[in-house]
Amino acid sequence: MYQVFDRPVSPNAFETFSQAIQREAMSSSMNAITIGSLIKKDLTEAYFLPQKPSSYIEEYKFFNSTKYRIFDYPTSSATFRRLVSPCYHLAAAGDEIPVLMERGPELFLKQHWKLWLPAYPTVIVKSPEEGLHDDVPIVTRAALEAIPEDKHFIHPDILYELQLKSSLLDVKAPTPRHMDENHLTFPCLLKIDMSSGGRGNRLVKNQIELAATLRNIREDCGWHGDVLYQEVIPRIKEVPSFQFYLHKSGELYWLGTTIGGFEGFGWTGAVVDWDKHEEYEKLVYEEFTVPIKNYLQKHGYFGLVTFEVIITDQGKYLVDLNPRIGSDTTHLLLAKYMALDFDLKHSAIFSYNKHELSPKEVIARANAINNKGKGLVVVLSAADDEKGCESHFSIFANTPDEVRNLYYQFNNNEAMV
């Protein structure tokens, strides 16, 4: 394995990180796993559609208005739904199956991926209309009313049911206590049964807050579906998010574990310490992974799965289950490659970053930082939205401090000491 970041020696004594990346790419890497290669083991032909539905943007192509309503209020913009959000699944999507998107990534973004991730094939992007002209199944992230039932890789009724928060109670694994609305103890966590991006979770401390919250959800947000009530678990140590791919055969491919972000330099939805990769996998395997696998197989599901577990000194509790390609899937695939091929075992993904720069300038700044050879910034998406340029990016380095340093360089355009 090539060691390019040995601190006691001047970086000038080594080839640049860019050169190391390009040299490594000359030989195929067993660790450069793509989303398409995982899907291809189960479906000879398929498309991947990474756009999520909305029930609050009527002009949006994947507007779920009746059968598969989703709570995504306040909703993100149509640009975010069409380009920004789905784009951060593409860097490690591969070319095994085409990706369907209303708007494909800009050329400068694809060039950025090719420069820093040459072991990953360039993604093939087609329009949703092209994907609807044949009988090839579409792997979606949710049930979509705009896609015929027989085009979903799994029947949309099943997919919608499995993604309901209430379905978590059917998994034979420990969960926090759920309560009836007429017999609540406070504080409690209110969860909308089908929501997006954490918008459906509300902490209520008393009956007055509960009434106000329900009034907001029903009257202001127009949600008339089910809500759940869950006890609040005290003295939480951490809430890791685990991800695996469940094949039709029952075989599991473990992607990895992400932990909540560092304090002091912005929110991050995924921090990875690859030295703890196997430890976390073993921590939840018997008590959570196996029951989740059995539950999903029983209902005919195959594909990527993300689940979250609260860890306390008293026990572990399953608090979320998402049978779909997750927002951290690409990061975890890249994290494995960076850790095993380049020994960059610490990484983080930073989402919803606002810039005064243009998307091209964001890419140029990442490229400049990478050429210094101190680690790697991979921009997963960068696009102009109604409120300015927004980006999602992953950082890979030797230590958490180096991840922190690169984050500040990227956001402030200056090196931290």
Side-chain angles (χ1 to χ4, degrees):
M1 186 178 295
Y2 186 75
Q3 300 288 335
V4 69
F5 302 118
D6 192 348
R7 287 298 185 207
V9 182
S10 168
N12 294 330
F14 299 93
E15 64 186 317
T16 67
F17 188 62
S18 176
Q19 291 170 329
I21 285 279
Q22 297 297 332
R23 181 172 58 79
E24 187 77 10
M26 296 299 291
S27 59
S28 61
S29 172
M30 296 292 293
N31 300 312
I33 307 299
T34 66
I35 293 173
S37 66
L38 293 171
I39 296 172
K40 193 78 171 179
K41 289 188 68 174
D42 294 314
L43 298 171
T44 305
E45 288 186 289
Y47 298 110
F48 168 39
L49 200 162
Q51 290 183 228
K52 292 180 69 175
S54 171
S55 291
Y56 292 88
I57 309 176
E58 293 187 12
E59 70 277 12
Y60 180 50
K61 183 175 184 62
F62 301 108
F63 177 58
N64 282 3
S65 61
T66 54
K67 194 173 183 180
Y68 305 123
R69 284 187 59 81
I70 181 172
F71 185 86
D72 60 315
Y73 185 90
T75 190
S76 49
S77 69
T79 299
F80 180 86
R81 290 282 180 180
R82 292 181 176 120
L83 177 63
V84 179
S85 173
C87 198
Y88 56 69
H89 298 281
L90 302 189
D95 62 357
E96 293 87 353
I97 63 172
V99 173
L100 305 180
M101 285 178 61
E102 288 184 274
R103 288 180 57 189
E106 300 287 353
L107 178 60
F108 57 80
L109 189 56
K110 292 192 288 185
Q111 290 173 335
H112 172 74
W113 298 335
K114 193 64 179 176
L115 178 61
W116 301 110
L117 303 170
Y120 289 84
T122 301
V123 64
I124 299 171
V125 178
K126 297 185 177 183
S127 70
E129 288 71 25
E130 289 180 273
L132 291 173
H133 283 163
D134 51 39
D135 59 357
V136 175
I138 300 175
V139 177
T140 66
R141 299 185 66 207
L144 302 174
E145 292 178 13
I147 302 295
E149 290 182 356
D150 60 357
K151 285 288 287 184
H152 284 76
F153 76 117
I154 290 171
H155 195 284
D157 288 355
I158 296 174
L159 192 57
Y160 190 78
E161 179 184 350
L162 293 177
Q163 292 179 356
L164 291 171
K165 302 305 178 187
S166 55
S167 293
L168 191 75
L169 300 176
D170 295 328
V171 181
K172 295 180 179 179
T175 64
R177 179 172 58 93
H178 282 69
M179 297 172 281
D180 181 85
E181 184 176 353
N182 298 316
H183 300 88
L184 297 180
T185 57
F186 296 99
C188 73
L189 188 63
L190 183 153
K191 288 188 173 184
I192 293 174
D193 208 7
M194 175 61 76
S195 62
S196 174
R199 294 178 180 86
N201 297 338
R202 312 287 179 88
L203 179 67
V204 291
K205 299 177 181 178
N206 51 54
Q207 197 68 40
I208 295 175
E209 286 190 7
L210 173 63
T213 299
L214 287 173
R215 185 166 54 252
N216 171 257
I217 291 171
R218 303 298 192 196
E219 298 177 10
D220 300 334
C221 304
W223 177 258
H224 302 292
D226 291 341
V227 296
L228 311 176
Y229 302 93
Q230 177 184 297
E231 70 170 319
V232 175
I233 302 295
R235 296 180 292 279
I236 296 173
K237 295 172 64 176
E238 60 181 4
V239 188
S241 179
F242 306 90
Q243 198 163 152
F244 64 86
Y245 190 99
L246 172 60
H247 290 286
K248 283 183 177 181
S249 64
E251 174 190 0
L252 292 182
Y253 177 82
W254 188 260
L255 270 74
T257 306
T258 58
I259 306 295
F262 303 105
E263 294 181 0
F265 62 93
W267 178 86
T268 170
V271 173
V272 176
D273 179 351
W274 203 260
D275 285 328
K276 296 182 179 179
H277 175 75
E278 294 183 359
E279 175 186 336
Y280 275 116
E281 181 180 3
K282 294 176 182 177
L283 179 67
V284 295
Y285 185 77
E286 292 294 339
E287 197 171 6
F288 298 98
T289 306
V290 172
I292 289 171
K293 168 195 168 183
N294 293 340
Y295 168 72
L296 294 176
Q297 273 197 300
K298 178 182 176 181
H299 288 81
Y301 180 83
F302 64 93
L304 278 151
V305 181
T306 302
F307 66 97
E308 292 181 3
V309 174
I310 285 178
I311 297 178
T312 71
D313 288 330
Q314 287 70 43
K316 300 187 290 290
Y317 308 90
L318 180 65
V319 291
D320 202 8
L321 173 62
N322 290 303
R324 62 169 175 251
I325 294 172
S327 57
D328 301 337
T329 298
T330 292
H331 180 83
L332 283 171
L333 291 172
L334 297 181
K336 176 179 181 177
Y337 170 64
M338 291 296 169
L340 299 184
D341 279 29
F342 299 99
D343 209 31
L344 302 179
K345 295 183 177 180
H346 293 270
S347 60
I349 183 171
F350 298 88
S351 302
Y352 308 106
N353 304 280
K354 296 295 184 181
H355 304 275
E356 295 181 357
L357 306 174
S358 69
K360 279 188 177 180
E361 290 171 331
V362 169
I363 296 297
R365 179 178 290 184
N367 290 342
I369 291 173
N370 294 346
N371 280 321
K372 295 178 181 179
K374 306 295 184 182
L376 191 68
V377 178
V378 176
V379 180
L380 302 179
S381 69
D384 282 321
D385 204 347
E386 284 86 340
K387 297 181 181 179
C389 178
E390 181 172 311
S391 76
H392 298 248
F393 58 90
S394 292
I395 295 179
F396 306 90
N398 276 338
T399 67
D401 284 343
E402 289 175 357
V403 172
R404 183 190 303 268
N405 184 53
L406 289 172
Y407 171 85
Y408 275 112
Q409 288 186 49
F410 186 68
N411 265 12
N412 303 322
N413 201 26
E414 61 181 4
M416 301 295 292
V417 177

